[in-house]
Structures are given as structure tokens and as C-alpha cells.
Amino acid sequence: MASFIRAKQAGVQTDLSQNIQPMHFMPDEQARYGINSQISCLAYDPVQSLLAVGTNESKFGPGKIYVFGQRRVHKFFCPPRPSSIRELRFVANRLISLDSKNELAIWDLDTGNQVAKYVYSGVVCLVTDPMLDWAFVGLQSGDIAAYDLDRERPSTFRIPNFWRERDPNPTAGRLVSMQLHPRDIGKILIAYTNGAVIYSFKQNIVQKYFEYELPPDAPGGDGHGIHMARKPKITHAVWHPTGTFILTAHEDGSLAIWDTKEGRLVTARSLYRTRVNEPTSNPPRPMRLAPFVRISWCCQTDPDNTGLLIAGGHNIDDPTASNLTFLELGPTPIYATSSWEVLAAHFDGKRSLPISTPPGASVVNYVLIPRSSPYFNGAQDPIAVLVQLSSGELITLTFPSGFPISPTNMLHPSLSFVHPFVQTVAVSTVPRARWLGMAEKRSLGEQILRGGVEYSHRTRKEQRNIVQVLHADNIIRLWDVGRGDEIENAMQCQVDVARSLNRFEGGVETTAMHMAQETGEFAAGTKTGEVIVWRWGINKNFGKEAPRAEECERGGLMDISSRAEPSLKEGLQPFVMHNMAQGRVTVVAVSDVGFVAAGSEGGQLSIIDLRGPKVIYHGSVTEWSKGEKRGLFKHSSSSSHGGKPEWPTVIEFGVMTLEGENYSSICCFVGTNMGRVATFKLLPSGQGYSVQLAGVANMDDKVVAICPIEVQTGREAGATGPIVAGLREGKQVDGVLVAVTQTESKIFRPPHARGASKSFDSGILCDAAAVTPADTSMSSHGYALVAVFNDRTLRSYTLPGLREIAKHPLPMLDPLRTISTVISKTGDVLGFTGPSEITVLPVWGGSGRALENTLDTMINMAQELPPRPTISNVQWLSGTQYISPTDLDLLIGGPDRPPSKRMMAATDAERNGAGVYNPAAAGAAGSSTARLQGQVKETEGWGDYLTRQLNERTEKLNIMGDSMDNLANTTSKWAEDVDGFVKKQKRDLFLGGIKKSFF
């Protein structure tokens, strides 16, 4: 009965929700964008061109793994038990993870499933190689265990703590880091707190020990304790790309360079000084240096042309010091012909390049983006570096120049949520044809992520939900969040608020934004009262920096088209700017018929006609009192609220016939924080339009939504081009307003008819509301009011009766940010689940389904893993034994380990003379591996097979040794013959001279 009475009061005779049943109102979690918690680790695969991101466990959720490819390609991986992700590695088209509970896990990149796992005790570090089937796990005891990635089980192979044998002090042998030799797979560099060793798998011995000791009067890295001998502890150890040298980084800021052949210290330096290991009579002033965070020995295509990328090691007391530094070393001198002084001078470096990072945050991690090679510890020919900051944000920089790279159309939209952090979001529903035409053309560098293939959906819905994401750097990105269908235009559009304001020194804060549905025009407001409008077009100043223009005068309107981004050829270009100069802009709205309205915290309202462009209205909410109709609604003007300030919170444009009139008008509806809803008529006047206040209706409190709808159908009574064109022919739109405040909803005919109202349950506040069609996959059932409340519930109400249809909890929403929730006109809820993640929830026609992983294909089996770099001919001739990955499998796995899929493929390649392992061949393991295994089993057992393989390899090595012995014997005999011939010639020459003197 109550809903029947409300329908009569509202003046709506049609039940717009007649066919809606509670079962129709069921939200599904369609997608999530962003990162659920603070980023903990990064990994990049240059072969497949994929990026992996791990997160920490927090109150917003457990640690999670994301893998991103090109465009919208992505997958997420959830560990079975809550933990933080510590390390990520790409190996053999699979992902290896290590979490805070010391669990080593293997993940299938295409299915998203966990393939295997094993828990170790006290893991310190993890080392893998793209060509190996082994993961080396460094333990707190100093031992190193091996995990068989192919057989998915731990190996019995173990490397003991060698430093403990040298120094029994329990604190001296703590493991710090490990790194495999970049060329010789048979060696590994192991760093302990007091020293480092090079271990040979082939010989099963330590080949060299390295211990850094500073004599008295040597300054060391930081210059402290200069008058005594000291042994700074090691924090990192890395190989030179050729393996000729190693670097050990120490707690005092020293970078010690060692010769690996003789185990000799070549030189030591810090970021600021060289030869810090040598005593000096003029000691430098001590300084406080930040600890080293990460060090990479980078190289160009030529591994001898190197440089050091160093995070940390900078002067803490210098506020201008960079957290990230690149030491360019240049081409390495020829080792065989260079003196120790020449080598030491080389490591003094050509130049030091500080790489700028945002102030107030330090670098905690980074990952290099190599052009193609997965080897040299991911540091060969890098084109960019992705830096993780202590604030939890990411920045992408060119390498080694350090110029910022925008994530727009370079990284997945989820990564842009922390690049930098997202502030707020808005959503507009745009026709498919309009959005397909908004493909931005911008100068971009080489793509960072090119891997994976998106799953092809069969459906393509006509209405696209375009989200507008505001970031902390005042960059706004617009993109299609999808509707569980094919996203045809996955490109992002970008606008730069600071550039459009011509303010590059900071101090800009964006406070409001909105996008027109049909035209794609976009507007944003700032804290200082400016309103900027962008319009799609061509940049006339493409590639040029525009000269600095004058500031917009107070209350004025100015052309800012010259402030377009130089790299943007076609896209949303700055159009005009209006300076309201009345405090923070609280709301802005762009119509589809050329009007923009904005409200400010000072209580001002401005309406702009873009056809001029010109400001056609500028007034204050205090002037609305004369338009109020008293006695019908509770009086709620600013005077009745004790003089509290009042400002606009919601603005909507529509077309309808107002109460007491016999024609329809373009209307602008404005709601305030005090619950007043003002109606303005936009009427033709001469060559333009004039604005007239039609009336004001009063409600209880802050207005959160205004929805103009048609009485007969429930469709939006929007101000679109065809509707406005019909006004000239006398066409009318019979409409009402559905206005929602924090505590009630009302339906009435504007400007101030009585209408019908319904109060929400006590104790809850409405944060977002919208009238949406109740469309399911089968049919449309009508229209209903959908609202999200601060108790994290989603509710729907009938129209016009305002009877509750159904209610569902939304436990995934962040309770502190429900006020930032938005609802699209298609019935999709977008809400924050944490500081940097949103969820997309279609509310109609679902089944309560939880978030599911994507069906994207991550691995391209046609991408071949390049051969691993090997030792040089000179190293081989000098006695270094070459160890292949299959040899290492035999050394670590032993004779009882069956050949792996990779070993089978490598053996076939060796037999065929190819010498290159193709992971695609190994990946198609079902048939080929079974066939190979069957052949082996028919003729011999696994032990016999591997024994024969080992014997064959040993025989080949012996044959090679015999050949070398024969070569040496032949060479020796040839040298003896030459020596005899020379002696004979000398004797004949002497005797000939004597004969000549006598005769």
C-alpha cells in the first residue's frame, strides 16, 4: 500500500519495475583493476615479454601474484595459504615464487594453477636460470639446496657452508646472496657476511675465496674508523658479464672489484670516491651512506661494454642525492694485456649518472627490462627500468638516461593504479561507436610488454563503461573497463591537468571530473577553482613545446588549446579554462549538447556554453532562496542550518516538461550538501542561451544522485542531440526526477512538486545511487533504483513505489572508501577494495559468482629460448671445462634421475647438430617425451641410459684430450725439426765463410 501511495504522489502511473524479481538482482564480481596490496617483488621475462608482480599480505588481502602482458592480457595467482610474496622468477615458461613462509611454488602461467610446492626452513635467497631445471635455495644455515623444477621435487644435492669451514664464527658464515656465472654454468658465486667464494659444480670444490679487508688509514666507503684495520660485511655480490671479475658490496658503502682468476683485489670504490682501499695521509670527511638495496652489472650487446646500476649507497645527509645511480664503465680492457693499474683505472668509471626518483620516497627494488636476452642476470641491453618505491608506487624510466616513461598504453591499466597511486574514479557510459573513434595517437617508445594473447569473447555490448582514473600526479586516464565482453578499443586516453594549467612546479590538485556520454568531451576542476575542458581533436603544435601563456583572470574564460602535450598527435586536447576563483571545485558536469556546469566550495555555480565559448551563468546558492516554494517541503536553506556553508555536490542535465508548463526545456539540475535541488532552464536567447532559475526543492541532507527519467518508460531523460532538436518541433518529454540523499530518496516533478519519498534504514548512509535498466542476459525487465551504502550493502528499489527489491552484502569493498563508489548507467558498481584496486560488479542477471581468473593465453610456444652464453675459446684453451645444462643435470640430479623434458629436447638438438634448445619442443612434452621415454625403456633402464650418456661424454672428452695431446706432440716434433734446420743453416753459413777465407 505504501508503494502504491508513493506512486500516486510521484505522478507516475506506470510501474517501471513491474517485471523485476529479487532473483534478477544478483551481483557478480566481473573484474578487478589495480594491485590489491603493497608490491613486494617484480620479475620480467624478455622472451615471452611478460611482467610478474608480487604483493605483501595486508589487511586488504593476502599476498597475490599478477602476470601482465600486452594490452589487457593478465592473470592472477593466489597462494593457498595467506602469505607475502618474496621472490618471483620466470623459468621454462613457468613462474617460480618464494613466499614469506619459505614456500617454493611452481605456477602454470596459462591455467593459473599451482603445479607444485615445497616448504624449506629459513630461506635467505633464491637463484634460477632460464636454461636450467634447477632452483638453488640459500638457507639461513649457509647451505644451498637444489630443487628439481622439472620433476617438481627437492634434490638430495646440497652445497655446504664453505665459509664456516674457514671461519667457525657462527655469524661469519651467514648466507647473503648467490649468482650463477653468466657464461660458465658450472660455477656459482656465493656471498657470506664476511666473504665470498666461487664454487665449481664440476670439481665440487671452492676455486677462490674473497675477503675484503681495509688496512689502517684506508678510508673505505664511508670514511669511519679510518685509523684501524676493519673487515666490512658483505651485502651483495655480482658477476661481471664476462665472468672475469666479481663485485662485492659492503656495509660501509665500498664496492670491491676482484679478479676471479687470481682472487686478487683490483680496486675498491664508493659512489663518491675511488681507491678507497688504499691508505691516504689526507683522509676525507666521514659520511653516512645508505645501505645498498640492489646492484646489477649491466652490459650492452657486447658483454665487455658494461656499467653498474646501483640502488642505495648514496649520502643520507644530502637531500639532493639520488637513490639510483648508474656508473658507466665502458669497454673492459683486454685482460691478458692489461696491467693491474689499467684495470683499476677502468673501474674508476667514465661517468656517474644519478637517476632521478620522486622526492620523499626511496628505491626499495627495481627490475630491468632487457631488449631480448634473458641471460646475464637480466641485465643485457636493457631499454628501461621499472622502479619500486618505498611508498608502494612504481615508476618506469628509460635506461640509462632515466627519463620518465608514462604507463599510458605502455603497461596494463592495473599497473597504472600504482604509477602513481590512484586518487578517485568516475565512470561514464559511452556508445560503442563513439568510443571506437577515440583511439589516441601518441608518440610512444618501444613497447615493454608484448606477450600473451587475450581471450576472444563473442559478445560486444553497445554501451561502454569508460572509467576516468585520477592519479596523484594529476594525470587522468580514461579507458574501457569492459562488461564481460570483447573490449575492442583497449587503448587509454590521457589528459594532463598540470600541463593544461601551465603549472609544472606542483601545487595542483584535481577535485572533480566528468565525461560527456555522446560527445566524449571531458572536464575537470581543481582545488584552486579552475575548470578545464578537453575536446577530441588534432594537436596543431604536435612535437612542439608551446610558449608559456598568461594566467586566466578571475571569473574569466580563456583558450588553452596551445597547451596540448607535444607527444599527443590526436586525442583529448585542452580547449578552454574557466577560473571560478571561489575555492575548491566540488562537482563538474558536461552535457551532450554543448554545456558545462561546475560548482565550487564557495557556493558558486557556473554554466558555460561551449559554442562561444562563453560563461552564460555565474551565481551563488544563496540567491536560490527566492526560487524556493515554501510549505510543501521541509525548509533546508543555509539559514536554517545555522549559517553552514553550502555548495553543489551533484549536477545533471536533462530535457523535460517542468511542473505547470506546457513545453519541454533543457534543464540543469543542481543538488547541494544541504539537500536542496535547484532546477535551471537553459533557454535560447539571440545567438546563444540564457539561464533562468525555475525553482528549488528541499530534501534532508547531502544530495548524492539526481536521475531525470521519462515517466512512461523509465529511460533516462537526458539532454541529447536528437531530443534537443525535437524541441523546435514542439516535442515534449514527460519526466520526473529521482533524487537521492544520504538518508532518503524522492521522486518528484521539478522544480518543486511534492512527489513521494522514502527514508532509508536508520544508521546507514547512501554513498552512491543510480537508476539503471534491469537487463539480464535474456531480456529487459524494467528500471530500478540501485544504491550502495556505507555498511557495504547493495540495495535495489522499485520505481515509482521505492519498495526494496533485494539486498546483498559487498564484503570486498574497503569500508573506508565506500564514499568513492560509483554506479554506471548500465548497472555496474565500481568500488575500491583497497588503496589501489577497484572491483567491477554488474548487479543484474548474475548468480553471485566470485571473481574468476582470465582465460588469456600467456605463453607463446613459438618463442624460442636463445642459447645460453658460454665460455670463450681462450677460456676453453686455458683449461676451463665447459659444462652444458645437460651435464649439470647429471652432476646435480645424479644417475638415478630420469632425463627431463628439457634434457630430452637438448639431447635431440645436440644429435641433430642444432645446439639450441627450443622450449616449444620441450613444452609439447605429451607426445615427444613419452615417445623418447618409451624408446629408452624398451632398450635399457634409466640408470643404464644415463651411465651410457655419461660414458659417451667422458669418452668424447678423452678423445678431445687425446687429440690435444697428439696436437702437442706433433707441434713439439715440428718445433724440433725447425730448430734442427736452423742450426744446420747456421753451421753451413759458418763453414762457408771459413772456406771463403782460405780459398
Side-chain angles (χ1 to χ4, degrees):
M1 178 61 70
S3 60
F4 174 77
I5 295 174
R6 291 193 192 100
K8 293 296 183 181
Q9 291 174 337
V12 180
Q13 307 303 321
T14 305
D15 187 353
L16 304 177
S17 309
Q18 181 178 2
N19 299 320
I20 300 178
Q21 301 298 323
M23 63 180 180
H24 298 147
F25 186 70
M26 180 68 69
D28 286 337
E29 192 164 12
Q30 174 186 297
R32 288 197 184 189
Y33 290 97
I35 306 296
N36 74 321
S37 185
Q38 186 181 39
I39 293 177
S40 59
C41 54
L42 304 164
Y44 179 72
D45 181 2
V47 176
Q48 295 292 337
S49 192
L50 299 173
L51 177 68
V53 177
T55 66
N56 286 320
E57 182 182 10
S58 68
K59 65 179 181 179
F60 301 105
K64 208 171 181 180
I65 302 171
Y66 302 85
V67 178
F68 300 104
Q70 63 174 333
R71 289 165 49 97
R72 301 294 180 86
V73 175
H74 77 284
K75 258 190 170 44
F76 60 87
F77 307 84
C78 300
R81 58 177 183 171
S83 61
S84 299
I85 309 300
R86 288 174 51 192
E87 297 282 347
L88 291 173
R89 300 285 189 274
F90 285 100
V91 180
N93 294 338
R94 294 195 290 185
L95 185 67
I96 314 301
S97 69
L98 175 68
D99 66 17
S100 58
K101 296 182 179 178
N102 302 309
E103 182 178 276
L104 182 73
I106 305 175
W107 303 87
D108 187 301
L109 286 169
D110 277 331
T111 64
N113 297 328
Q114 189 181 81
V115 177
K117 63 180 180 179
Y118 185 79
V119 179
Y120 286 92
S121 176
V123 178
V124 175
C125 51
L126 173 68
V127 169
T128 62
D129 187 89
M131 183 58 79
L132 296 183
D133 288 322
W134 303 96
F136 298 99
V137 183
L139 306 176
Q140 288 179 350
S141 62
D143 294 351
I144 299 173
Y147 185 87
D148 191 336
L149 299 175
D150 182 80
R151 297 297 158 187
E152 300 166 0
R153 63 188 182 191
S155 170
T156 57
F157 179 84
R158 207 173 186 90
I159 300 175
N161 187 332
F162 291 111
W163 203 265
R164 194 70 55 79
E165 300 172 2
R166 182 184 177 100
D167 185 352
N169 186 351
T171 62
R174 286 184 298 183
L175 191 64
V176 173
S177 68
M178 304 180 294
Q179 198 173 90
L180 288 166
H181 193 294
R183 286 179 173 270
D184 185 359
I185 200 65
K187 296 179 182 179
I188 185 171
L189 173 64
I190 308 171
Y192 305 96
T193 51
N194 284 20
V197 302
I198 295 178
Y199 169 76
S200 170
F201 291 100
K202 180 71 173 179
Q203 300 173 346
N204 192 25
I205 61 170
V206 172
Q207 292 185 329
K208 287 289 183 290
Y209 285 88
F210 307 91
E211 186 174 13
Y212 180 58
E213 183 174 2
L214 290 170
D217 298 327
D222 55 10
H224 291 284
I226 192 172
H227 298 299
M228 64 181 69
R230 57 234 191 255
K231 296 180 180 179
K233 293 181 180 180
I234 292 181
T235 60
H236 298 78
V238 295
W239 287 98
H240 184 279
T242 62
T244 311
F245 308 95
I246 66 166
L247 176 145
T248 56
H250 299 263
E251 285 185 345
D252 71 334
S254 295
L255 299 170
I257 312 295
W258 304 84
D259 169 45
T260 59
K261 186 175 182 180
E262 299 187 13
R264 174 174 173 173
L265 179 66
V266 178
T267 187
R269 61 164 299 160
S270 68
L271 292 184
Y272 301 97
R273 310 185 187 108
T274 59
R275 316 296 175 97
V276 298
N277 59 311
E278 300 175 1
T280 177
S281 58
N282 185 20
R285 175 181 293 182
M287 63 176 66
R288 293 194 306 149
L289 299 180
F292 292 110
V293 175
R294 189 179 178 92
I295 300 176
S296 298
W297 206 323
C298 311
C299 63
Q300 297 183 3
T301 306
D302 177 11
D304 280 312
N305 197 345
T306 71
L308 289 166
L309 180 62
I310 302 170
H314 58 280
N315 187 354
I316 297 176
D317 298 321
D318 183 3
T320 63
S322 175
N323 291 271
L324 200 61
T325 307
F326 180 68
L327 293 178
E328 184 179 352
L329 302 177
T332 306
I334 300 174
Y335 177 80
T337 60
S338 299
S339 65
W340 293 112
E341 181 59 33
V342 170
L343 293 176
H346 166 72
F347 291 112
D348 289 346
K350 295 173 64 176
R351 57 175 176 164
S352 176
L353 298 175
I355 298 176
S356 298
T357 55
S362 58
V363 177
V364 298
N365 193 14
Y366 65 78
V367 63
L368 287 163
I369 310 296
R371 195 179 303 274
S372 59
S373 171
Y375 302 113
F376 297 99
N377 296 295
Q380 185 181 32
D381 194 20
I383 60 174
V385 57
L386 190 62
V387 181
Q388 177 189 346
L389 302 176
S390 57
S391 62
E393 295 173 304
L394 296 178
I395 55 171
T396 309
L397 306 170
T398 58
F399 185 85
S401 55
F403 293 114
I405 298 175
S406 171
T408 304
N409 296 321
M410 190 68 72
L411 299 176
H412 190 280
S414 288
L415 287 172
S416 69
F417 273 58
V418 291
H419 201 299
F421 280 136
V422 61
Q423 301 291 308
T424 186
V425 298
V427 67
S428 297
T429 302
V430 177
R432 171 173 167 262
R434 169 72 266 184
W435 179 244
L436 287 177
M438 296 181 69
E440 188 180 83
K441 295 180 181 178
R442 183 185 295 270
S443 297
L444 296 174
E446 187 174 350
Q447 287 291 320
I448 294 176
L449 302 179
R450 305 179 301 276
V453 178
E454 293 174 79
Y455 176 75
S456 180
H457 294 267
R458 295 181 179 180
T459 58
R460 298 175 181 176
K461 297 182 179 178
E462 288 299 320
Q463 298 298 317
R464 312 307 306 171
N465 287 327
I466 308 304
V467 66
Q468 302 115 56
V469 183
L470 170 64
H471 297 267
D473 58 355
N474 290 287
I475 296 290
I476 302 174
R477 297 183 177 95
L478 302 87
W479 40 276
D480 188 351
V481 297
R483 299 180 62 192
D485 59 353
E486 187 80 13
I487 300 179
E488 298 173 274
N489 178 12
M491 299 286 287
Q492 302 174 55
C493 296
Q494 171 183 302
V495 298
D496 188 340
V497 177
R499 172 175 285 275
S500 298
L501 290 174
N502 204 25
R503 296 179 196 159
F504 302 95
E505 59 279 352
V508 177
E509 182 180 338
T510 306
T511 56
M513 55 186 175
H514 184 257
M515 181 183 185
Q517 295 182 174
E518 299 288 341
T519 63
E521 293 170 327
F522 182 72
T526 69
K527 185 178 180 180
T528 50
E530 295 91 356
V531 178
I532 309 106
V533 181
W534 290 266
R535 176 177 281 180
W536 192 267
I538 304 294
N539 183 5
K540 298 179 181 179
N541 298 317
F542 175 66
K544 303 176 183 178
E545 280 284 355
R548 286 184 172 260
E550 298 180 358
E551 291 292 328
C552 181
E553 62 182 10
R554 185 185 183 93
L557 191 71
M558 71 175 295
D559 181 8
I560 57 171
S561 57
S562 62
R563 299 180 181 178
E565 298 178 58
S567 61
L568 181 62
K569 185 175 184 180
E570 181 180 358
L572 285 170
Q573 311 287 354
F575 180 46
V576 294
M577 180 176 70
H578 171 51
N579 186 4
M580 297 183 70
Q582 291 292 329
R584 180 175 65 98
V585 175
T586 57
V587 62
V588 63
V590 187
S591 76
D592 292 317
V593 290
F595 300 103
V596 176
S600 71
E601 206 169 41
Q604 298 294 311
L605 174 69
S606 293
I607 300 179
I608 305 168
D609 185 355
L610 297 180
R611 278 169 284 268
K614 60 184 292 188
V615 178
I616 58 176
Y617 177 83
H618 186 77
S620 173
V621 295
T622 59
E623 303 171 359
W624 296 357
S625 299
K626 60 183 180 181
E628 290 181 315
K629 185 173 181 179
R630 306 176 186 273
L632 296 179
F633 277 97
K634 297 183 289 290
H635 187 61
S636 180
S637 66
S638 58
S639 59
S640 67
H641 286 272
K644 293 181 180 179
E646 184 179 15
W647 59 79
T649 57
V650 179
I651 299 176
E652 285 288 341
F653 288 93
V655 172
M656 65 177 60
T657 302
L658 299 182
E659 179 189 20
E661 296 183 352
N662 57 4
Y663 63 92
S664 294
S665 310
I666 303 174
C667 300
C668 178
F669 307 104
V670 183
T672 73
N673 63 316
M674 293 299 179
R676 294 201 291 174
V677 178
T679 302
F680 293 88
K681 294 194 295 184
L682 281 66
L683 304 173
S685 176
Q687 299 298 318
Y689 282 82
S690 62
V691 178
Q692 176 183 330
L693 176 64
V696 180
N698 292 317
M699 299 177 70
D700 281 343
D701 44 39
K702 176 186 173 182
V703 179
V704 297
I706 298 176
C707 307
I709 62 171
E710 296 181 9
V711 169
Q712 299 300 323
T713 63
R715 289 194 297 265
E716 180 186 10
T720 63
I723 296 296
V724 171
L727 297 180
R728 301 176 181 175
E729 303 172 2
K731 295 182 179 179
Q732 296 190 33
V733 177
D734 188 11
V736 294
L737 283 187
V738 180
V740 183
T741 69
Q742 290 181 316
T743 58
E744 67 172 337
S745 59
K746 290 188 178 182
I747 303 177
F748 64 96
R749 192 178 298 274
H752 36 50
R754 179 177 179 82
S757 65
K758 175 183 174 64
S759 297
F760 299 128
D761 294 344
S762 61
I764 61 172
L765 298 176
C766 180
D767 289 322
V771 173
T772 71
D775 290 338
T776 66
S777 58
M778 301 299 294
S779 60
S780 176
H781 299 278
Y783 287 80
L785 175 65
V786 176
V788 175
F789 294 83
N790 65 345
D791 63 345
R792 293 188 293 176
T793 58
L794 176 69
R795 310 181 188 213
S796 58
Y797 300 89
T798 61
L799 295 175
L802 297 177
R803 173 179 54 84
E804 184 176 297
I805 300 173
K807 177 179 72 173
H808 293 284
L810 300 178
M812 72 288 294
L813 295 184
D814 181 359
L816 300 178
R817 301 195 68 175
T818 57
I819 196 170
S820 300
T821 303
V822 293
I823 304 176
S824 74
K825 294 180 180 179
T826 59
D828 294 272
V829 174
L830 280 72
F832 280 89
T833 62
S836 56
E837 185 184 48
I838 63 170
T839 182
V840 181
L841 298 155
V843 302
W844 298 108
S847 57
R849 186 178 66 249
L851 181 66
E852 297 178 351
N853 217 332
T854 69
L855 299 176
D856 298 340
T857 301
M858 309 302 293
I859 298 300
N860 180 5
M861 300 305 295
Q863 290 289 345
E864 294 185 359
L865 186 68
R868 195 182 195 276
T870 60
I871 59 175
S872 65
N873 292 334
V874 174
Q875 290 173 313
W876 183 73
L877 289 172
S878 65
T880 303
Q881 292 182 328
Y882 167 66
I883 303 296
S884 70
T886 51
D887 293 333
L888 195 64
D889 286 346
L890 294 173
L891 291 171
I892 298 177
D896 296 331
R897 178 184 184 263
S900 65
K901 305 178 185 71
R902 187 194 299 241
M903 185 176 178
M904 290 286 192
T907 303
D908 280 351
E910 289 178 359
R911 288 174 179 173
N912 296 332
V916 177
Y917 167 65
N918 182 356
S927 59
S928 61
T929 304
R931 175 174 51 82
L932 288 170
Q933 291 176 350
Q935 291 176 356
V936 172
K937 289 179 181 178
E938 290 173 0
T939 57
E940 56 190 345
W942 286 115
D944 296 336
Y945 169 75
L946 287 186
T947 301
R948 179 171 57 80
Q949 288 289 314
L950 186 58
N951 291 336
E952 287 179 1
R953 291 182 176 277
T954 305
E955 183 181 354
K956 290 177 182 178
L957 289 173
N958 292 336
I959 291 173
M960 181 180 67
D962 294 340
S963 300
M964 294 301 296
D965 292 340
N966 293 335
L967 176 62
N969 293 333
T970 304
T971 304
S972 177
K973 186 176 182 302
W974 177 79
E976 292 175 358
D977 293 342
V978 170
D979 185 59
F981 176 76
V982 171
K983 289 180 179 179
K984 182 177 181 299
Q985 292 298 317
K986 288 181 178 180
R987 186 173 59 254
D988 291 346
L989 179 63
F990 176 72
L991 293 175
I994 293 176
K995 291 179 181 179
K996 185 176 181 181
S997 63
F998 280 100
F999 300 100

